[in-house]
Amino acid sequence: FLADMGRRFAPTDGDRLLAVTTVGFDIAGLEIFLPLLHGAVLVLADEETAKDPHALLRAVTASGITMVQATPSLWQGVAAVAVDELAGVRVLVGGEALPPELARTLTERARSVTNLYGPTEVTIWATAADVAESGPVIGVPLANTSAYVLDAALRPVPVGVPGELYLAGEQLAQGYHRRPSLTSERFTADPYGPAGARMYRTG
């Protein structure tokens, strides 16, 4: 996962990532480890800054921030008050569906916008899309990740036909702690992967 993020965003020692996510949320792993693995600077926002769009933008400017990851809910507030503070910032969006209007606003104001998708069962992110190129879609699978849209018989559906999204890959969870029935319901054998592979039914 982190190797894919490194190739995708190519952070350098000139980058500064503002971390706004509580460490109890798995996506904080990207904010903490990606900059440190590439010699970039990690700037930790305090709780008040992370909740206040005006304070967050002041932090972006004061610290020379070049990358921020946040949920659409937070970006909605930031976009409403931002002028040109995001011009040099790579915006990462995830954790909730990205509204089309917000996608357009962020694309107009930021250096780049990437929409990320991934349930906790497939830690951390599973897919990504460059919003300027693709719009507010969930995108394509990251490295070592597979995504299938299948029917009730676990057969791939044609393009444009509704189905259910299944995710598989190296970062797939083992299951739910002490909940075997729920684990068997949501995690199943992956008929398209190597022997013994499993996939997660997103619902």
Side-chain angles (χ1 to χ4, degrees):
F1 166 76
L2 287 169
D4 185 293
M5 293 291 99
R7 289 189 294 270
R8 189 175 300 273
F9 299 114
T12 69
D13 58 6
D15 280 302
R16 302 173 69 86
L17 188 149
L18 181 63
V20 301
T21 305
T22 174
V23 294
F25 192 2
D26 66 343
I27 69 173
L30 181 148
E31 298 176 1
I32 295 169
F33 298 115
L34 182 64
L36 299 181
L37 285 171
H38 294 272
V41 175
L42 169 62
V43 179
L44 298 173
D46 60 33
E47 186 175 359
E48 291 183 4
T49 298
K51 292 180 178 179
D52 181 344
H54 292 281
L56 193 148
L57 287 172
R58 287 195 296 271
V60 165
T61 301
S63 298
I65 298 301
T66 60
M67 187 180 299
V68 183
Q69 170 185 256
T71 63
S73 295
L74 180 55
W75 281 122
Q76 198 80 257
V78 171
V81 298
V83 180
D84 57 3
E85 297 93 338
L86 300 178
V89 177
R90 293 187 186 98
V91 165
L92 282 61
V93 189
E96 305 161 3
L98 174 58
E101 183 59 36
L102 177 59
R104 284 191 292 272
T105 300
L106 290 174
T107 301
E108 291 169 357
R109 297 183 182 176
R111 173 180 172 183
S112 66
V113 182
T114 302
N115 191 36
L116 298 157
Y117 164 77
T120 300
E121 291 84 353
V122 191
T123 304
I124 296 172
W125 298 122
T127 67
D130 182 324
V131 175
E133 295 179 359
S134 308
V137 297
I138 66 171
V140 298
L142 302 180
N144 300 318
T145 304
S146 298
Y148 316 113
V149 181
L150 308 176
D151 63 17
L154 301 183
R155 296 172 301 201
V157 298
V159 174
V161 175
E164 189 166 14
L165 178 63
Y166 288 78
L167 297 170
E170 295 296 325
Q171 73 275 41
L172 194 67
Q174 294 297 308
Y176 300 105
H177 184 57
R178 296 183 178 177
R179 301 186 70 182
S181 60
L182 182 59
T183 295
S184 62
E185 176 188 333
R186 308 299 293 194
F187 293 85
T188 186
D190 179 359
Y192 306 102
R198 298 176 311 128
M199 59 185 183
Y200 169 68
R201 176 186 171 202
T202 64

